[in-house]
Amino acid sequence: MSDECLCRAFWVCTIIVVVALFPLYKIFQTVTMTPSGPHFYINEFYVPALDLSQHTASNNNNNQTVVTNPCLFFDLAFVNIMLKQTVHYGDVNITLSHGRKAVASYVVPAFIQEHRGVEYRREVVEGVPWESTEKAVSNGSTVVFRVDLATVVTFHSLNTKKKDVRIGADVEVDGTGLKLKREDIRLDSAASRRGVGIFVLFLSLLVTRPCS
């Protein structure tokens, strides 16, 4: 076996170990290094531009429509599930994307939440690409928006701990302008899963490449 093949085999084994241990590391980090909470949910999500019942016909010569409101409304729920820990949120950065392109952003100012509490934040943003999305729902399709959240959470208990939070969720919207999923949508750490996916892709490339 050539030196190149030995080197490649070493890296393949290393990556297999890393991928196998990564979920265990995340569990260990959650249990021993930082508290598990809080949880974040999208409670309401409404795009008036996609609410077909709110459109009014205008300008019969070119068959255009007038959108009554080009904004996007959403409610976030911050749920502190911990029994005896107060949570301090740094500025909460919200990014809304459509078609892999960021279309709007918003910052929820820092705030403090008591244990076993639920905080709601209703926000309004502009910048929705309604021309293309309105056409999609008019044809009976749905439109998917991506909501990403980033903040730093500080837990106040006997030992003050900080935790970087980077989570997100996809929100599917239909011709009512409302999210298709009626129950609350939980934001999760999809970025971590993408990281594992990159490792797996790299592993597959190493395995399939022939030795010289």
Side-chain angles (χ1 to χ4, degrees), residues 127-146:
V128 180
W130 63 266
E131 295 89 348
S132 59
T133 54
E134 188 273 339
K135 183 178 180 180
V137 297
S138 296
N139 293 332
S141 301
T142 58
V143 175
V144 177
F145 290 90
R146 174 74 183 178

Side-chain angles (χ1 to χ4, degrees), residues 147-190:
V147 180
D148 288 299
L149 181 152
T151 187
V152 176
V153 176
T154 303
F155 303 92
H156 295 284
S157 56
L158 295 177
N159 296 313
T160 300
K161 298 179 180 180
K162 290 186 177 182
K163 181 179 182 180
D164 288 327
V165 176
R166 295 184 181 276
I167 52 179
D170 291 333
V171 182
E172 194 173 6
V173 178
D174 60 15
T176 66
L178 299 169
K179 59 185 176 68
L180 194 62
K181 189 176 182 180
R182 298 314 181 200
E183 58 267 28
D184 293 352
I185 299 175
R186 183 177 174 183
L187 284 74
D188 59 23
S189 53

Side-chain angles (χ1 to χ4, degrees), residues 23-87:
L24 296 178
Y25 165 74
K26 296 301 292 184
I27 295 173
F28 172 81
Q29 184 185 47
T30 300
V31 173
T32 63
M33 297 177 64
T34 59
S36 59
H39 294 170
F40 303 80
Y41 297 89
I42 299 172
N43 182 251
E44 299 289 345
F45 197 92
Y46 178 54
V47 188
L50 303 185
D51 187 350
L52 300 182
S53 67
Q54 300 298 316
H55 291 188
T56 57
S58 175
N59 197 345
N60 293 328
N61 293 329
N62 54 24
N63 196 30
Q64 291 182 345
T65 59
V66 175
V67 178
T68 57
N69 192 330
C71 298
L72 186 153
F73 301 82
F74 61 97
D75 290 359
L76 293 176
F78 300 80
V79 183
N80 182 3
I81 63 174
M82 293 172 289
L83 290 174
K84 299 180 180 180
Q85 289 193 327
T86 299
V87 177

